[in-house]
């Protein structure tokens, strides 16, 4: 193994890494809320206002910046009025997901509970509004209910009667979700007209709202988004972010994969770079780059379901292996390196679901390797992202769709500085080869030892379970700050003080 030079350029930084890049997503889907986050106030499971205490405590440690809710597709049929008032009087409704899992929505978690959860963990709430089956007035009224000053409107008084005199101040509002698909299956021109209506009404309601429009899925829906932006007219309407969704969904099994399938999954994760760049070109092409950054509000690995602890009862619940941890690390490194374009991202989804951080069932609760990646990367939030350079080594594998040879970069890297320290996060994608990096800072000097955190396991299929919750756990040490070693299929973070 040769030692590669990794240049870290302090001059000409990429930009500030928005803390909102380290955002999350919680949908009323399978076991995300019911069995995951929410156990209810009467539960024998330790809880804070009905939310699973162990999860609240662990989540808080990540400094989560923003949380998207209530969907996803679930939002398409959601009436916010069902989720307010005394919980025992709230109506059960047919859930969007009923045909997949036969479960109804009990509405025990509504706007008050969601905002309460955000306050408990310190995250900004982000509401994805239903524009498929509502009117602009319904959403304007939801904004009024959430944000009108105490006592100022009938909805503010209703909010107070329901226990919350002070406004929730919800800033982020998604105007629809996947409107090219589940969100109304709209022609782009139809969505543009709908968007303009909602944006006009919402931007003339209470101040301070940030509106997020629906954009592409991965590198698909390109023409749909182009046609939407053409009619939308950036100069005349408010849009404060363009949503992009992308999943690594060409999956083998979550727990059962060979070397080609391992690399194919990481190849899909690395494709996020093209997703971001293409979407950004579109935004720039329509001259919206100043006001309309990218909001990647759904991302992650989507495996065939059934690998989670409930063996398929919780829809889309899946395990999380070292391979998933690498997907998370590669994706977050890409967001850091494109922080001039991406201002928010929300991993899908927080508990008992895709690319999950937590698995919970009854009184059992564990954190996954993806959780540890968020922990190792959290100090990138609000930091200045640096340009890096190193010789690119590639790994060849058989692409699982074309069955031809494809290649991925062996290393994924990002670096940032904040508070007099450098944070470097490195993922080694090779199954067999360790990586050795000699740090070459340009325009700055490093001092002292490095605080190192390593996430590794000799078996990339390894995961945490209720029976063995610490199979994959970070190893923290101090070590040399000039040369870093990363074992195969592992992630390393290094925090080093600046001289
Ligand atoms: O995250 C699961 C689903 O994926 C969401 O409901 C939808 O928006 C996307 O297609």
């Amino acid at each position: 193994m040769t030692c590669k030079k990794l240049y870290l350029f302090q001059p000409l930084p990429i930009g500030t890494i928005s803390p909102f890049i380290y955002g999350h997503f919680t949908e009323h889907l399978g076991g995300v809320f019911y069995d995951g986050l929410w156990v209810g106030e009467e539960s024998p499971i330790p809880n804070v206002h009905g939310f699973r205490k162990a999860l609240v405590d662990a989540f808080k440690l990540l400094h989560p910046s923003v949380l998207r809710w209530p969907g996803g597709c679930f939002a398409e049929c959601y009436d916010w009025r069902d989720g307010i008032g005394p919980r025992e009087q709230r109506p059960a409704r047919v859930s969007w997901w009923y045909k997949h899992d036969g479960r109804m929505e009990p509405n025990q978690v509504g706007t008050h509970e969601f905002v309460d959860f955000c306050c408990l963990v310190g995250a900004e709430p982000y509401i994805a509004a239903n524009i498929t089956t509502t009117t602009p007035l319904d959403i304007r009224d939801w904004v009024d209910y959430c944000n009108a000053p105490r006592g100022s409107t009938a909805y503010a008084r209703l909010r107070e009667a329901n226990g919350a005199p002070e406004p929730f101040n919800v800033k982020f509002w998604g105007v629809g979700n996947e409107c090219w698909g589940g969100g109304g299956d709209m022609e782009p021109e139809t969505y543009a007209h709908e968007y303009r209506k909602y944006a006009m009404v919402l931007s003339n309601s209470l101040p301070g709202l940030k509106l997020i429009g629906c954009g592409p899925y991965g590198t698909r829906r390109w023409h749909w988004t182009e046609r939407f932006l053409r009619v939308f007219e950036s100069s005349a309407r408010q849009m404060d972010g363009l949503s992009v969704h992308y999943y690594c969904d060409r999956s083998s099994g979550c727990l059962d994969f060979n070397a080609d399938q391992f690399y194919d999954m990481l190849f899909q994760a690395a494709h996020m770079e093209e997703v971001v760049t293409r979407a950004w070109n579109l935004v720039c092409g329509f001259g919206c780059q100043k006001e309309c950054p990218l909001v990647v509000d759904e991302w992650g690995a989507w495996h065939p379901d059934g690998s989670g602890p409930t063996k398929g009862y919780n829809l889309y619940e899946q395990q999380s292996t070292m391979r998933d941890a690498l997907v998370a690390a590669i994706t977050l490194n890409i967001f850091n390196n494109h922080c001039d374009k991406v201002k928010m991202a929300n991993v899908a989804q927080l508990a008992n679901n895709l690319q999950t951080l937590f698995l919970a069932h009854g009184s059992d609760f564990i954190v996954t390797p993806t959780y540890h990646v968020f922990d190792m990367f959290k100090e990138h939030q609000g930091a200045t992202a640096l340009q890096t350079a190193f010789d690119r080594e590639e790994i060849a594998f058989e692409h699982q769709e074309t069955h031809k040879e494809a290649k991925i970069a062996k290393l994924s890297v990002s670096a940032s500085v904040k508070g007099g320290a450098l944070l470097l996060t490195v993922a080694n994608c090779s199954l067999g080869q360790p990586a050795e990096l000699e740090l070459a800072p340009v325009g700055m000097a490093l001092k002292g030892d490095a605080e190192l955190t390593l996430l590794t396991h000799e078996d990339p299929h390894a995961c945490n379970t209720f029976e063995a919750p610490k199979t994959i756990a970070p190893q923290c040490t101090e070590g040399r700050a000039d040369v870093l070693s990363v074992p195969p299929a592992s992630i390393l973070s290094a925090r080093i003080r600046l001289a």
Side-chain angles (χ1 to χ4, degrees):
M1 179 190 44
T2 50
C3 186
K4 299 251 167 243
K5 262 201 170 168
L6 170 61
Y7 292 93
L8 303 157
F9 299 102
Q10 200 264 339
L12 292 179
I14 304 166
T16 301
I17 300 172
S18 164
F20 295 129
I21 285 176
Y22 290 81
H24 300 267
F25 173 38
T26 48
E27 176 168 2
H28 288 241
L29 196 188
V32 175
F33 276 98
Y34 307 115
D35 206 18
L37 278 75
W38 180 258
V39 294
E41 284 176 314
E42 308 306 324
S43 171
I45 298 166
N47 67 83
V48 194
H49 310 165
F51 288 102
R52 187 184 287 274
K53 185 170 182 319
L55 190 149
V56 169
D57 291 345
F59 192 31
K60 230 177 1 193
L61 296 177
L62 298 183
H63 308 153
S65 51
V66 60
L67 189 60
R68 180 172 181 252
W69 173 86
C73 291
F74 174 83
E76 310 311 342
C77 299
Y78 184 63
D79 183 343
W80 63 272
R81 294 176 183 90
D82 291 341
I84 58 170
R87 280 199 284 272
E88 61 286 1
Q89 288 169 23
R90 294 186 196 168
R93 299 280 186 211
V94 178
S95 163
W96 170 275
W97 298 106
Y98 177 74
K99 83 167 178 201
H100 298 272
D101 65 6
R103 286 159 77 169
M104 298 297 182
E105 170 54 41
N107 279 304
Q108 294 303 285
V109 173
T111 304
H112 287 254
E113 289 79 13
F114 167 64
V115 171
D116 188 31
F117 182 72
C118 289
C119 290
L120 289 172
V121 299
E124 281 279 342
Y126 166 14
I127 291 183
N130 165 13
I131 70 159
T132 306
T133 54
T134 60
T135 66
L137 189 60
D138 290 311
I139 305 306
R140 199 285 310 267
D141 288 348
W142 198 1
V143 168
D144 177 353
Y145 186 83
C146 289
N147 292 357
R150 181 179 192 158
S152 64
T153 66
Y155 277 120
R157 285 193 291 278
L158 180 59
R159 185 187 67 225
E160 182 163 3
N162 288 332
E166 296 309 325
F168 296 146
N169 293 325
V170 179
K171 251 197 330 241
F172 298 113
W173 292 82
V175 182
N177 168 68
E178 298 191 349
C179 295
W180 36 258
D185 205 2
M186 296 184 211
E187 287 297 316
E189 291 77 14
T190 311
Y191 176 59
H193 290 298
E194 287 299 308
Y195 183 91
R196 286 158 57 144
K197 255 186 346 197
Y198 280 82
M200 192 55 81
V201 169
L202 296 180
S203 61
N204 282 299
S205 65
L206 291 160
L209 306 185
K210 300 272 181 211
L211 305 182
I212 292 151
C214 170
Y217 179 88
T219 40
R220 288 179 253 149
R221 308 283 173 194
W222 173 263
H223 293 295
W224 189 95
T225 311
E226 189 248 310
R227 281 166 56 193
F228 158 59
L229 289 173
R230 200 172 285 287
V231 179
F232 152 75
E233 273 190 285
S234 70
S235 55
R237 328 278 157 200
Q238 180 183 352
M239 186 159 68
D240 306 293
L242 183 72
S243 153
V244 178
H245 289 184
Y246 174 60
Y247 288 101
C248 306
D249 56 4
R250 185 174 58 249
S251 186
S252 35
C254 175
L255 298 168
D256 177 23
F257 49 87
N258 61 28
D260 285 318
Q261 291 163 335
F262 171 88
Y263 289 127
D264 189 71
M265 181 55 64
L266 304 192
F267 177 84
Q268 291 180 74
H271 182 66
M272 180 63 91
E273 180 137 41
E274 198 176 323
V275 170
V276 163
T277 313
R278 280 239 218 154
W280 186 243
N281 288 342
L282 204 49
V283 167
C284 295
F286 282 92
C288 317
Q289 65 275 20
K290 284 220 171 64
E291 65 276 13
C292 188
L294 301 180
V295 172
V296 187
D297 50 12
E298 289 187 28
W299 68 267
W302 190 324
H303 305 296
D305 57 345
S307 61
T310 64
K311 305 281 173 255
Y313 172 69
N314 284 335
L315 187 63
Y316 302 151
E317 180 186 81
Q318 60 187 41
Q319 254 296 357
S320 173
T321 63
M322 256 326 282
R323 180 176 67 161
D324 296 293
L326 286 158
V327 167
I330 291 168
T331 308
L332 292 172
N333 277 338
I334 292 170
F335 293 154
N336 290 340
N337 290 330
H338 291 273
C339 65
D340 50 337
K341 312 172 184 72
V342 181
K343 295 294 176 194
M344 190 198 285
N346 308 76
V347 58
Q349 303 197 14
L350 189 62
N352 296 345
N353 208 262
L354 315 172
Q355 192 77 47
T356 197
L357 277 75
F358 303 113
L359 287 167
H361 183 46
S363 57
D364 289 322
F365 169 78
I366 54 169
V367 304
T368 68
T370 296
Y371 172 90
H372 294 308
V373 172
F374 271 81
D375 198 28
M376 291 162 69
F377 279 59
K378 70 183 176 202
E379 289 304 326
H380 281 304
Q381 294 188 45
T384 303
L386 304 185
Q387 312 248 20
T388 60
F390 54 96
D391 282 344
R392 186 182 153 101
E393 251 184 276
E394 290 186 320
I395 305 165
F397 68 98
E398 185 189 304
H399 189 279
Q400 295 300 289
E401 198 171 56
T402 62
H403 297 291
K404 296 201 171 119
E405 184 182 282
K407 287 183 177 162
I408 59 163
K410 178 177 168 187
L411 295 181
S412 150
V413 174
S414 74
S416 70
V417 288
K418 182 171 83 175
L422 167 84
L423 177 64
L424 184 64
T425 44
V426 183
N428 179 1
C429 300
S430 168
L431 278 171
Q433 294 298 315
E436 193 138 291
L437 291 166
E438 182 192 336
L439 303 195
V442 178
M444 62 182 177
L446 306 175
K447 105 171 162 205
D449 282 345
E451 289 168 30
L452 302 171
T453 307
L454 179 67
L455 200 66
T456 188
H457 197 283
E458 60 197 13
D459 180 2
H461 303 87
C463 59
N464 294 338
T465 61
F466 293 148
E467 296 71 35
K470 294 203 170 132
T471 304
I472 300 179
Q475 301 160 17
C476 301
T477 51
E478 292 221 332
R480 282 172 64 181
D482 52 346
V483 177
L484 304 177
S485 301
V486 194
S490 304
I491 301 151
L492 180 79
S493 75
R495 200 147 183 275
I496 309 166
R497 273 186 299 141
L498 302 181

